[in-house]
């Protein structure tokens, strides 16, 4: 069981003044006003925009560099009746992006198809096999999504075959860009687009927004596709601020009110029908299932589901994808256990600031998940590699405060290719260079990780007492959603709480604690759940006081009842 250091937010005198003013103007509790101020929302109008994000506030898509060229090339392709291929990465972000562009263009133009590379045969990004297939199909224009920003040789090869590329990506580019007709990427150093954190699907949406604007197509035609943006924003863990917050808010609304045939099928499989779907549901239930197809076989099945119009076919596809997810979970569990036992042995030999593991037999489809799990377990940046012929393919994950992209980039001369961002990266290196890469990555981590980053930290927004928690506070907190990076769920702490005498260990393996708690300032008994923290049960039952850090949730089994989801316990 991991314990956290609590970083409790401090309020300056100026923030206290702003809090009192905002609480009075909006007629909300000082607790909520303080949460808004900490998010940089200091005026009544900004608060209203935050609580009710407006589609009118989406940025002009033509502010993205190369957008005019991208729209012109797409218009030319349609005008000349050229065959268009929508090509995307095999993860959730790539598949939702491909589905979005395919569904939108297909309403007006029929000579279009989509392509998802095979993770095992072709690897990440643009492949020669994909380009050769496009050539056979008579494709003249490829719109590539969520990858392509580093595909210099492949795009040059396509150009030699008479195929143009429009790149829609959000990964960090190299100094030299590929020879595409247009490159839409807010992270381009020469791009002045005001919002830098779009998902790959978000960049695709901006492209379609510009195409619609240029061709006099009403914006209302794009709104049903925001459900795909919401799924990509949640699953790809991009910031839920500014434009992403607007798209996620309206996309979730669409998922909950009028889901598409494909999304409805996946909701049925996840057991989310007749329940309000949240960003958390996408991260933990919908995303892993949509990802499983690309991890276990081919991501095309995910796009097939997302563009499906027939309910029976969609349900059959969703069941198929769910089976992939079950297989993925088994492989993932087995690989994580193997990796964990290796790490434990290494930790005993010498304690390092990072983890680099390599095994010839691990599946390419789960190494990213295993890297994430090890990062959480040990709170260290982690690279997990597996063999692919003469090469090693890897996934890297970061801890807060450590830029894993820069760490991988520091080993650039050893890399065949790599890509990603601050928190996650993928890479390919020669098998013979694995030991040297391991040495240099560890050295970089040792030089860049300071004491600040060596223990997991929980950021607590506010210390409150149980008498502060009521239904009004709960309903007002829900208005802060959708949650995600940049707009995390408010975290509270309460000091000196006691077991009411009825707390108990629950769960299939007795791994969770169902708590009934009291504090010294209120007669109310507060219900809570602490997942995976059963090790603390004995001390809780000993009648000692303890401190808890938690979020305030609805009890899904008793609708309308408030429950604390306890993230950490300090005795």
């Amino acid at each position: 069981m991991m314990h956290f250091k609590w970083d409790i937010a401090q309020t300056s005198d100026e923030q206290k003044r702003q809090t009192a003013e905002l609480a009075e103007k909006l007629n909300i509790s000082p607790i909520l006003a303080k949460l808004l101020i900490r998010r940089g929302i200091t005026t009544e109008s900004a608060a209203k925009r935050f609580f009710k994000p407006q589609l009118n506030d989406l940025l002009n898509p033509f502010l993205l560099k190369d957008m005019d060229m991208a729209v012109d090339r797409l218009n030319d392709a349609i005008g000349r009746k050229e065959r268009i291929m929508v090509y995307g990465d095999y993860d959730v972000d790539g598949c939702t992006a491909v589905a979005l562009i395919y569904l939108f263009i297909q309403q007006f133009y029929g000579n279009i198809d989509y392509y998802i590379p095979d993770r095992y045969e072709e690897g990440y990004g643009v492949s020669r096999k994909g380009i050769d297939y496009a050539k056979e199909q008579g494709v003249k224009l490829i719109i590539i999504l969520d990858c392509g920003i580093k595909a210099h040789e492949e795009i040059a090869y396509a150009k030699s075959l008479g195929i143009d590329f429009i790149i829609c990506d959000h990964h960090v580019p190299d100094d030299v860009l590929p020879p595409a007709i247009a490159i839409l990427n807010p992270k381009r150093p020469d791009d002045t687009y005001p919002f830098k954190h779009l998902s790959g699907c978000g960049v695709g949406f901006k492209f379609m927004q510009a195409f619609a604007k240029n061709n006099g197509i009403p914006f209302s035609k794009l709104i049903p596709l925001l459900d795909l943006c919401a799924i990509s924003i949640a699953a790809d863990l991009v910031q839920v601020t500014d434009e992403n917050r607007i798209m996620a808010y309206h996309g979730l609304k669409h998922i909950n009110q009028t889901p598409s045939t494909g999304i409805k099928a996946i909701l049925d499989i996840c057991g989310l029908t007749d329940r309000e779907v949240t960003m958390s549901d996408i991260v933990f239930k919908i995303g892993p299932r949509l990802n499983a197809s690309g991890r276990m076989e081919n991501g095309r099945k995910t796009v097939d589901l997302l563009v499906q119009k027939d309910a029976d076919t969609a349900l059959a596809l969703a069941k198929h994808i769910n089976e992939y997810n079950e297989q993925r979970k088994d492989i993932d569990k087995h690989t994580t256990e193997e990796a964990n036992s290796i790490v434990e042995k290494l930790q005993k030999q010498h304690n390092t600031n990072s983890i680099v593991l390599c095994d010839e037999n691990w599946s390419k489809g789960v190494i990213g998940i295993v890297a994430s799990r090890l990062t959480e377990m040990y709170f260290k940046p982690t690279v997990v590699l597996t063999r692919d012929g003469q090469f090693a393919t890897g996934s890297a994950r970061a801890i807060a405060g450590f830029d894993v992209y820069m760490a991988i980039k520091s080993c650039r001369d050893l890399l065949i290719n790599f890509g990603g961002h601050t928190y996650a990266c993928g890479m390919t290196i020669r098998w013979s260079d694995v030991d040297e890469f391991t040495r240099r990555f560890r050295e970089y981590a040792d030089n860049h990780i300071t004491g600040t980053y060596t223990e997991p930290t929980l950021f607590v927004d506010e210390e409150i007492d149980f008498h502060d928690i009521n239904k009004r506070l709960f309903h007002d907190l829900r208005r802060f959603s959708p949650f995600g990076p940049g707009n995390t769920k408010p975290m509270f702490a309460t000091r000196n709480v006691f077991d009411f005498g009825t707390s108990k260990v629950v769960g299939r393996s007795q791994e969770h604690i169902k708590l009934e708690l009291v504090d010294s300032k209120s007669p109310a008994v507060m219900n809570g759940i602490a997942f995976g923290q059963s090790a603390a049960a004995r001390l809780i039952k000993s009648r000692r006081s303890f401190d808890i850090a938690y979020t305030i949730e609805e009890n899904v089994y008793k609708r309308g009842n408030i429950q604390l989801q306890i993230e950490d316990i300090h005795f």
Side-chain angles (χ1 to χ4, degrees):
M1 184 177 112
M2 184 181 281
H3 283 292
F4 297 86
K5 181 177 83 176
W6 295 2
D7 184 345
I8 297 170
Q10 301 302 309
T11 311
S12 67
D13 289 342
E14 174 59 14
Q15 283 178 323
K16 283 175 187 166
R17 187 193 62 74
Q18 289 175 323
T19 297
E21 206 174 280
L22 201 59
E24 193 181 333
K25 277 183 184 167
L26 293 170
N27 189 25
I28 57 173
S29 79
I31 293 169
L32 288 168
K34 207 178 283 184
L35 292 173
L36 287 170
I37 298 293
R38 293 222 183 92
R39 281 161 171 71
I41 297 154
T42 56
T43 65
E44 194 177 350
S45 61
K48 283 176 178 167
R49 280 202 310 279
F50 178 79
F51 285 137
K52 202 151 190 202
Q54 298 296 317
L55 289 168
N56 292 343
D57 289 334
L58 287 174
L59 295 165
N60 178 354
F62 285 98
L63 293 174
L64 268 167
K65 193 164 179 63
D66 281 7
M67 185 61 87
D68 48 352
M69 291 189 283
V71 171
D72 286 348
R73 182 63 188 88
L74 179 54
N75 284 336
D76 287 347
I78 292 171
R80 295 198 290 250
K81 297 188 167 46
E82 291 175 350
R83 187 147 183 78
I84 299 169
M85 178 188 276
V86 191
Y87 188 127
D89 185 23
Y90 38 62
D91 71 359
V92 178
D93 193 12
C95 290
T96 50
V98 166
L100 185 147
I101 286 201
Y102 176 79
L103 282 168
F104 191 68
I105 295 176
Q106 191 219 8
Q107 296 174 74
F108 317 103
Y109 184 69
N111 196 8
I112 183 169
D113 196 7
Y114 52 87
Y115 185 89
I116 303 288
D118 186 291
R119 183 191 290 261
Y120 298 93
E121 281 184 29
E122 297 166 78
Y124 173 77
V126 189
S127 73
R128 284 206 167 217
K129 183 183 172 185
I131 292 166
D132 289 340
Y133 173 76
K135 179 67 179 168
E136 283 166 29
Q137 298 295 309
V139 169
K140 291 289 181 191
L141 175 65
I142 294 178
I143 300 168
I144 186 149
L145 296 133
D146 193 33
C147 55
I149 198 66
K150 295 193 173 191
H152 298 267
E153 288 173 23
E154 293 82 1
I155 290 175
Y157 172 63
K159 204 172 175 183
S160 74
L161 300 177
I163 300 170
D164 287 335
F165 263 81
I166 294 170
I167 298 173
C168 302
D169 204 349
H170 68 133
H171 295 102
V172 180
D174 282 334
D175 297 336
V176 179
L177 297 171
I181 286 286
I183 298 172
L184 309 177
N185 186 336
K187 291 195 179 82
R188 280 177 66 162
D190 58 347
D191 195 316
T192 55
Y193 194 72
F195 185 62
K196 300 293 179 190
H197 303 288
L198 291 168
S199 64
C201 186
V203 178
F205 181 83
K206 298 308 292 185
F207 183 19
M208 291 301 95
Q209 188 190 351
F211 172 74
K213 197 172 184 177
N214 181 262
N215 286 283
I217 300 163
F219 182 79
S220 57
K221 290 258 186 200
L222 282 159
I223 294 173
L225 299 171
L226 285 167
D227 53 4
L228 295 165
C229 290
I231 290 171
S232 82
I233 288 162
D236 219 54
L237 298 174
V238 291
Q239 287 209 358
V240 188
T241 55
D242 300 317
E243 276 204 294
N244 283 346
R245 181 174 168 77
I246 297 168
M247 289 191 277
Y249 177 89
H250 289 278
L252 275 175
K253 204 165 153 184
H254 199 71
I255 290 169
N256 282 302
Q257 292 173 3
T258 49
S260 69
T261 308
I263 289 173
K264 187 177 185 318
I266 208 81
L267 295 181
D268 289 346
I269 290 297
C270 294
L272 290 170
T273 311
D274 303 325
R275 258 189 58 194
E276 187 185 353
V277 178
T278 65
M279 296 292 267
S280 185
D281 291 323
I282 297 171
V283 172
F284 295 109
K285 294 179 179 174
I286 298 169
R289 284 171 171 85
L290 294 179
N291 243 334
S293 173
R295 290 188 188 284
M296 303 310 298
E297 196 190 61
N298 188 299
R300 187 180 171 97
K301 289 254 181 8
T302 297
V303 183
D304 292 344
L305 170 65
L306 294 172
V307 303
Q308 187 52 239
K309 298 282 196 288
D310 177 74
D312 291 338
T313 310
L315 195 58
L317 279 164
K319 284 177 178 169
H320 200 45
I321 281 170
N322 198 48
E323 284 163 20
Y324 283 142
N325 194 46
E326 293 304 315
Q327 291 170 33
R328 188 272 307 162
K329 282 198 279 193
D330 288 343
I331 295 169
D332 157 24
K333 185 171 181 284
H334 177 69
T335 309
T336 303
E337 283 167 0
E338 278 189 5
N340 192 26
S341 65
I342 297 167
V343 175
E344 282 176 352
K345 282 177 198 159
L346 290 171
Q347 296 283 92
K348 281 173 189 165
Q349 290 162 22
H350 48 91
N351 195 10
T352 60
N353 282 327
S354 61
I355 295 167
V356 184
L357 296 182
C358 186
D359 190 288
E360 294 192 32
N361 302 310
W362 288 342
S363 164
K364 275 205 283 188
V366 300
I367 54 173
I369 299 172
V370 174
S372 294
R373 294 209 198 292
L374 293 173
T375 305
E376 285 167 17
M377 287 158 92
Y378 293 95
F379 200 69
K380 293 179 178 188
T382 300
V383 181
V384 178
L385 296 148
T386 186
R387 189 162 190 168
D388 185 8
Q390 297 306 304
F391 302 101
T393 302
S395 273
R397 297 293 182 271
I399 56 169
F402 181 80
D403 188 333
V404 79
Y405 180 85
M406 295 309 291
I408 300 294
K409 193 177 178 182
S410 73
C411 307
R412 173 157 219 159
D413 55 305
L414 301 175
L415 303 169
I416 305 299
N417 59 50
F418 78 106
H421 46 76
T422 305
Y423 296 109
C425 266
M427 77 222 71
T428 303
I429 59 177
R430 285 180 192 81
W431 182 255
S432 55
D433 287 334
V434 167
D435 289 344
E436 177 60 11
F437 170 82
T438 303
R439 186 190 69 74
R440 278 164 56 179
F441 182 87
R442 283 185 175 151
E443 190 178 278
Y444 183 96
D446 288 344
N447 291 335
H448 288 80
I449 291 180
T450 63
T452 321
Y453 306 135
T454 51
E455 59 181 313
T457 302
L458 202 61
F459 295 96
V460 176
D461 287 284
E462 189 69 16
E463 283 191 50
I464 60 174
D465 299 315
F466 285 169
H467 66 71
D468 294 315
I469 302 171
N470 53 39
K471 288 201 172 172
R472 184 179 171 191
L473 177 72
F474 169 69
H475 287 298
D476 283 344
L477 285 173
R478 288 181 70 172
R479 295 169 68 198
F480 278 73
S481 67
F483 298 113
N487 182 41
T488 52
K489 197 171 276 191
M491 182 74 63
F492 299 100
T494 300
R495 305 281 185 187
N496 297 316
V497 304
F498 295 85
D499 173 29
F500 185 59
T502 45
S503 297
K504 59 185 179 186
V505 174
V506 295
R508 196 178 297 169
S509 308
Q510 302 283 283
E511 68 271 43
H512 316 308
I513 319 173
K514 193 173 185 318
L515 296 138
E516 291 189 339
L517 303 172
V518 287
D519 71 359
S520 57
K521 297 179 182 174
S522 162
V525 177
M526 195 60 68
N527 290 311
I529 184 81
F531 292 113
Q533 298 188 60
S534 57
R538 189 177 55 79
L539 283 168
I540 287 168
K541 301 298 282 180
S542 71
R543 311 290 289 170
R544 286 173 61 181
S545 75
F546 51 95
D547 304 336
I548 54 172
Y550 56 88
T551 58
I552 299 171
E553 312 285 349
E554 182 178 42
N555 185 330
V556 289
Y557 301 107
K558 294 179 182 172
R559 299 295 284 273
N561 284 13
I562 294 169
Q563 172 174 274
L564 310 183
Q565 185 164 314
I566 295 162
E567 298 298 328
D568 199 26
I569 300 168
H570 282 187
F571 288 94

